Amino acid sequence: MRFSRILGTGSSVPARVVTNAELCQKIDTSEEWIVERTGIRERRWIAEGSGIGSSDLGAEAGARALADAGIAAGQVSLVIAATLSPDYDFPGNGVLIQRKLGLKAPATIDVRQQCNGFLYGLSIADAFIRAGVHQHVLVVASEVQSTGLDVTDRGRDMTVIFADGAGAAVVGPSDDQAHAILSTHLHVDGTHAEDLWCEFPSSRHSPRLTKEILDEGRHYPRMNGRVVFKHAVSRMQEAVNEALDANGVTLADLTLLVPHQANLRIIHNVRDALKLPEAKVVTNIERYGNTTSASIPLALDECRKEGRLPAGSLVCLVAFGSGFTWGSALIRL
Ligand code: UT7
């Protein structure tokens, strides 16, 4: 039986730190509200006018993952790029990342799935490698959300949360389950598509964007925060248990849980419901905000670099977001 495993990770965030105090100067919010409701103290946004796109952050994270894995550009046969904030409507970020890294990759796949983009990408990489179709797959999740946020009082619920960043993993073959992606579990419930979405530009309208739509702010992302929050807490618990049950292990066997960094209160609710000790649940939302698809690989990379995930560690990844989509992965590193 053939398996896949994570061979290396990398990440990249913009240098510009945006504190809560800076946002308080621009919109009607407060340090107390942001910290109490979200746990976020600062986030990274690209420098205004810098022209940095999500493919740039993604390429940097990808290069670092390749170096970490010791895999040469010529060995990668598939690039999977996940983002909700691509540089262009088309072509997708996979094409741009392949070009920027000079990868001789014969194939690329672009994944949406928002906060679950990395998990969906990892699952596709795992399936291709186990099927023997690809040997080395680069999975990149990257976002530049700051240029698409409504930095006015109207958009304050979204603007204080979302941020820019990228994370990547090189996935390759493994001979045994001692170092392998043990299982991935993906879910969707499209009845909630409009509870967290960005409506415009839209191919349902001609032209796809008008001055009226811009004036109404309907090109900005919008969220039914309370509904998303409630579902996130339930679905993430379920997905963790699903991954553990599928592999006959328990929470006590876990080295770390790496949850999508959506909101610190969501993470704490999931942690408390599962009765996991604080030390086993990874959080970095305080410093990076919600980087959507990038949040899991960014946190995973930090944990590996900090020595919190030595070889043989059992790690569970779990995410929930727009769609709704959610899922988990159980990995023996
Ligand atoms: O990553 C993808 C998945 N995303 C998530 O999982 C996010 C899920 N949702 C959330 O994290 C939370 O719902 C939010 C952080 C977005 C909002 O927190 P909340 O505790 O659910 O607040 P709320 O939406 O119920 O709003 C409470 C109050 C409202 O005022 P009133 O109507 O009570 O007077 C809002 O207008 O907080 C107000 N509010 C703000 N106040 C200060 C909303 N945003 C802000 C703000 N600063 N930035």
Side-chain angles (χ1 to χ4, degrees):
M1 178 105 180
R2 188 185 162 101
F3 298 95
S4 81
R5 65 179 293 196
I6 290 181
L7 298 174
T9 55
S11 58
S12 169
V13 290
R16 179 182 167 208
V17 176
V18 176
T19 60
N20 292 343
E22 182 177 336
L23 291 182
C24 289
Q25 288 168 5
K26 296 176 177 163
I27 53 180
D28 179 19
T29 188
S30 67
E31 177 82 36
E32 297 70 33
W33 193 95
I34 302 171
V35 172
E36 194 181 297
R37 300 290 182 120
T38 73
I40 299 166
R41 293 183 181 275
E42 60 186 39
R43 75 283 291 140
R44 303 297 183 98
W45 284 5
I46 59 158
E48 275 173 52
S50 63
I52 294 170
S54 55
S55 79
D56 298 303
L57 297 179
E60 192 162 61
R64 289 174 180 163
L66 286 170
D68 184 47
I71 294 294
Q75 292 174 265
V76 175
S77 60
L78 176 66
V79 178
I80 300 175
T83 187
L84 64 64
S85 52
D87 288 18
Y88 311 125
D89 262 8
F90 67 88
N93 272 7
V95 169
L96 306 176
I97 290 169
Q98 178 268 327
R99 182 173 72 185
K100 280 176 185 148
L101 293 179
L103 299 175
K104 303 286 176 262
T108 181
I109 296 173
D110 278 67
V111 173
R112 305 280 295 257
Q113 314 319 345
Q114 304 68 249
C115 307
N116 286 277
F118 181 74
L119 277 182
Y120 270 72
L122 195 68
S123 185
I124 295 165
D126 174 54
F128 269 128
I129 291 168
R130 279 193 288 108
V133 178
H134 288 285
Q135 281 280 317
H136 294 106
V137 180
L138 179 63
V139 184
V140 179
S142 56
E143 306 288 358
V144 168
Q145 304 190 89
S146 57
T147 50
L149 293 171
D150 184 0
V151 190
T152 69
D153 295 349
R154 181 178 60 188
R156 63 182 182 171
D157 57 333
M158 303 292 281
T159 297
V160 299
I161 296 177
F162 290 99
D164 307 340
V170 178
V171 188
S174 173
D175 291 333
D176 63 72
Q177 278 188 297
H179 305 286
I181 295 174
L182 301 176
S183 64
T184 60
H185 308 269
L186 307 178
H187 297 283
V188 61
D189 177 2
T191 57
H192 291 281
E194 288 82 17
D195 278 325
L196 176 47
W197 68 325
C198 188
E199 188 182 2
F200 287 98
S202 165
S203 61
R204 302 174 74 193
H205 299 266
S206 180
R208 294 180 176 182
L209 198 56
T210 61
K211 183 172 181 310
E212 196 180 24
I213 289 163
L214 290 172
D215 289 345
E216 289 168 0
R218 292 168 72 194
H219 59 300
Y220 290 122
R222 281 175 291 160
M223 172 165 68
N224 189 346
R226 287 184 194 182
V227 172
V228 177
F229 192 105
K230 193 169 73 95
H231 281 264
V233 172
S234 304
R235 300 291 90 77
M236 283 167 80
Q237 284 173 56
E238 289 166 12
V240 170
N241 284 324
E242 184 181 13
L244 298 175
D245 292 347
N247 292 281
V249 296
T250 67
L251 287 164
D253 299 315
L254 269 190
T255 309
L256 285 181
L257 176 69
V258 181
H260 166 50
Q261 307 288 305
N263 179 322
L264 195 62
R265 283 191 300 140
I266 292 177
I267 298 173
H268 286 170
N269 272 280
V270 172
R271 180 198 70 192
D272 294 348
L274 292 171
K275 300 191 174 54
L276 270 170
E278 195 174 338
K280 278 198 178 188
V281 182
V282 176
T283 59
N284 64 10
I285 189 171
E286 303 89 337
R287 289 174 285 125
Y288 296 124
N290 181 339
T291 57
T292 312
S293 70
S295 93
I296 286 181
L298 180 56
L300 188 63
D301 186 49
E302 276 203 341
C303 290
R304 288 184 69 248
K305 303 288 151 59
E306 287 166 2
R308 293 177 75 188
L309 285 171
S313 296
L314 186 66
V315 60
C316 184
L317 315 180
V318 65
F320 178 90
S322 161
F324 294 150
T325 58
W326 65 100
S328 59
L330 194 69
I331 301 169
R332 183 74 73 181
L333 285 171

